[in-house]
Amino acid sequence: MAAIAAHKLQIIRTLVETAPDAALRSLELALSSAGATGSLAAVRGLVEDETAQRFVRNNILGPIVPLCAKRREGQIQFPSAVLPRLWRALRAVSPSRVEEAAAKCNPWDLEQGVPDVFDDLCRAAAAGLRDPENAAFDSVRSICDPEQLAMCLQLSAITRSCLPKLSEWVSRMSDERAAAARLAYRDACRISDDAGPLMLDILSAHLPDDWRILRVISAVMDRPSDRYLASSEVKAFGERVLAEIDAAIVQVETFNFSDGERAGRAAAQAAHKVQLQIAEFQQSVDVAKDGPWGKRLARHKQAMAKACEQRMDQADRTLEAALPLRSLSMLSKKGSKGAAKLTDEPDEAMIRRAQSALAFIAELRACADKAGYGSSRNKVLEKLNSRLDPYIEDVLHVARTGDGGDAGLAVKYLDVAAGFIAYTRDDKTAEIVRRRAAAAIAA
């Protein structure tokens, strides 16, 4: 195969350099079987070089890497193009130091602690951003606030020292760990008055759940009252969590059953997250009932419970629409609302709505009891199962005998009902229903 022309190879190089990390990994995997010669070999070489460069770059600039991804409004963030442009500038102004750092990006050196050259390069990048005469950093300055980025880089030595301890700080805080967190915060505040909150924001970007930074704030400020925290330099962290809770309540109130199972599960997961956030708030902050945040948390808890209960109550109607009934007959079990109506094909739109409602209820299992609406959920499940159980028996009778409806339709509705009962009970019960249906067909 002919070699790729130079100008085309340059285009490919630009695409590789700007590709997201996930896309680059996919390219590397796809080209792994390419031979040592030919046009694909050249492309594979570009991909492998870029992968190696990013590994080095992400180690050296590690503290700011997650800041270059999409974050919520109000959190410190930079365009994704900042990382490659900053790295290109560093390689231009400090090539020998970059080579030295690259040589130490191996497991043996990293196990001995962070090489000093990593922090030296971050400081050099901060100085370059602040120097308007340094043209190498012009492309970086053109797309972000250079002083804000320079401050994040200046804090890299402190934040980098905190990162190995961060998971322990948010999971198993102790007096010794709290002292270490306070010391890091004070070191940051010595740089500037607003560097302490900025350090906390950077650390939160490294957490899977960024709101758990409240636990570090609690350690730094010795579990402050909500009145104090609401008027302090870190009040934005608490306000951000409260805003997230507000948005989650709206999500539960407004999600559309027509969007299917995924929407129902997402809404329930949002409710679960709110329960965890409120618990984290109460654990990390001395919340007073009449405090500025205590009142809001109480309202949020009540509003979420009310929203969840209202949406759960709507599930019975969605189930009735997906599994329609006709007036009572001799085939109906005592206490049922009617016999299965087996005259039309199952309505996929109604099934999707019911799946969304039932998935919502099923997913709330993780938080309903702790959030205060566990008994309401149990009552709704009892009501739904009291509808499903006689419906399944009714349809099984039709599937076996053909009396009361179309046996073919009965089998289809049995499969639908089995899917529903997996939400209201469990997968094992659903499998039993399907086996009974299979036995009825074979009989």
Side-chain angles (χ1 to χ4, degrees):
M1 188 180 294
I4 299 175
H7 71 282
K8 292 184 178 178
L9 197 61
Q10 182 57 43
I11 294 173
I12 294 173
R13 178 179 285 106
T14 302
L15 290 172
V16 168
E17 289 177 353
T18 56
D21 289 346
L24 194 66
R25 285 193 293 270
S26 298
L27 272 174
E28 188 177 22
L29 184 62
L31 294 169
S32 60
S33 58
T37 60
S39 58
L40 285 182
V43 176
R44 187 182 71 173
L46 290 176
V47 171
E48 289 176 348
D49 288 346
E50 179 63 21
T51 301
Q53 283 294 328
R54 289 193 190 187
F55 176 75
V56 175
R57 180 195 75 189
N58 291 348
N59 269 286
I60 294 171
L61 302 177
I64 70 162
V65 168
L67 306 182
C68 298
K70 185 173 177 59
R71 303 184 73 202
R72 282 184 290 277
E73 185 179 353
Q75 295 178 313
I76 184 74
Q77 60 181 312
F78 304 104
S80 58
V82 160
L83 275 178
R85 293 187 185 191
L86 186 62
W87 181 238
R88 196 177 301 118
L90 268 177
R91 292 174 68 187
V93 300
S94 304
S96 60
R97 299 308 311 272
V98 168
E99 287 184 13
E100 179 187 349
K104 294 186 176 181
C105 278
N106 59 72
W108 300 277
D109 283 317
L110 294 176
E111 282 179 3
Q112 306 306 314
V114 178
D116 291 339
V117 67
F118 287 14
D119 293 330
D120 291 343
L121 283 169
C122 287
R123 283 189 284 269
L129 285 165
R130 286 169 172 152
D131 181 5
E133 302 298 322
N134 194 329
F137 291 88
D138 283 349
S139 64
V140 184
R141 284 190 286 263
S142 67
I143 60 172
C144 70
D145 181 342
E147 179 54 36
Q148 191 176 56
L149 179 57
M151 181 57 71
C152 292
L153 288 163
Q154 190 175 350
L155 285 168
S156 288
I158 299 173
T159 52
R160 201 192 304 271
S161 68
C162 295
L163 291 178
K165 314 166 191 172
L166 189 56
S167 62
E168 293 180 340
W169 285 359
V170 298
S171 60
R172 297 182 299 277
M173 185 61 78
S174 63
D175 291 342
E176 182 180 352
R177 291 166 184 159
R182 283 193 290 271
L183 182 61
Y185 188 80
R186 288 169 188 165
D187 288 343
C189 289
R190 289 192 185 100
I191 296 174
S192 73
D193 291 340
D194 58 353
L198 180 58
M199 183 200 77
L200 293 171
D201 203 348
I202 296 171
L203 292 178
S204 73
H206 289 264
L207 292 170
D209 298 314
D210 55 13
W211 44 271
R212 292 194 186 276
I213 197 66
L214 286 174
R215 200 165 297 188
V216 181
I217 294 172
S218 177
V220 167
M221 297 188 168
D222 196 19
R223 196 169 185 265
S225 69
D226 63 330
R227 291 185 188 279
Y228 175 79
L229 200 58
S231 60
S232 72
E233 68 274 16
V234 296
K235 66 179 180 180
F237 294 92
E239 292 290 346
R240 198 177 295 148
V241 175
L242 292 170
E244 285 184 37
I245 294 174
D246 271 328
I249 293 169
V250 172
Q251 180 182 353
V252 171
E253 290 174 338
T254 61
F255 82 93
N256 194 335
F257 289 150
S258 297
D259 292 334
E261 176 181 354
R262 182 176 296 180
R265 290 196 184 279
Q269 287 162 6
H272 186 198
K273 182 178 177 181
V274 165
Q275 181 263 316
L276 294 174
Q277 287 174 318
I278 291 176
E280 186 69 41
F281 224 116
Q282 293 172 333
Q283 178 180 337
S284 301
V285 182
D286 184 10
V287 179
K289 289 183 179 180
D290 60 345
W293 287 349
K295 293 178 182 177
R296 290 172 66 182
L297 282 172
R299 287 198 302 268
H300 285 331
K301 188 173 183 179
Q302 292 173 356
M304 180 57 85
K306 181 180 178 181
C308 288
E309 288 172 349
Q310 288 177 340
R311 299 316 300 268
M312 286 191 292
D313 287 341
Q314 295 167 6
D316 188 56
R317 291 195 296 275
T318 67
L319 190 62
E320 183 178 5
L323 301 177
L325 302 174
R326 56 184 173 82
S327 57
L328 288 171
S329 71
M330 294 299 293
L331 298 175
S332 301
K333 294 291 183 181
K334 183 178 179 182
S336 70
K337 295 183 178 181
K341 183 180 179 182
L342 304 174
T343 56
D344 300 309
E345 293 285 335
D347 188 326
E348 291 299 328
M350 293 299 104
I351 291 171
R352 187 164 55 252
R353 286 180 59 80
Q355 286 172 335
S356 182
L358 296 177
F360 174 72
I361 295 171
E363 199 75 17
L364 286 178
R365 180 188 300 111
C367 64
D369 288 338
K370 293 178 181 177
Y373 43 87
S375 60
S376 298
R377 178 179 177 273
N378 291 336
K379 289 176 182 177
V380 169
L381 285 174
E382 184 179 350
K383 184 178 181 180
L384 294 172
N385 286 323
S386 69
R387 177 186 289 277
L388 280 168
D389 290 342
Y391 182 91
I392 288 171
E393 295 301 325
D394 190 7
V395 178
L396 274 170
H397 176 81
V398 176
R400 281 194 300 265
T401 66
D403 294 339
D406 185 299
L409 285 176
V411 172
K412 293 180 181 180
Y413 276 100
L414 270 175
D415 187 59
V416 173
F420 290 165
I421 211 164
Y423 295 115
T424 62
R425 285 208 171 94
D426 51 44
D427 291 332
K428 184 177 180 180
T429 305
E431 185 59 31
I432 291 172
V433 171
R434 291 190 176 99
R435 287 179 182 175
R436 293 180 67 192
I441 297 169

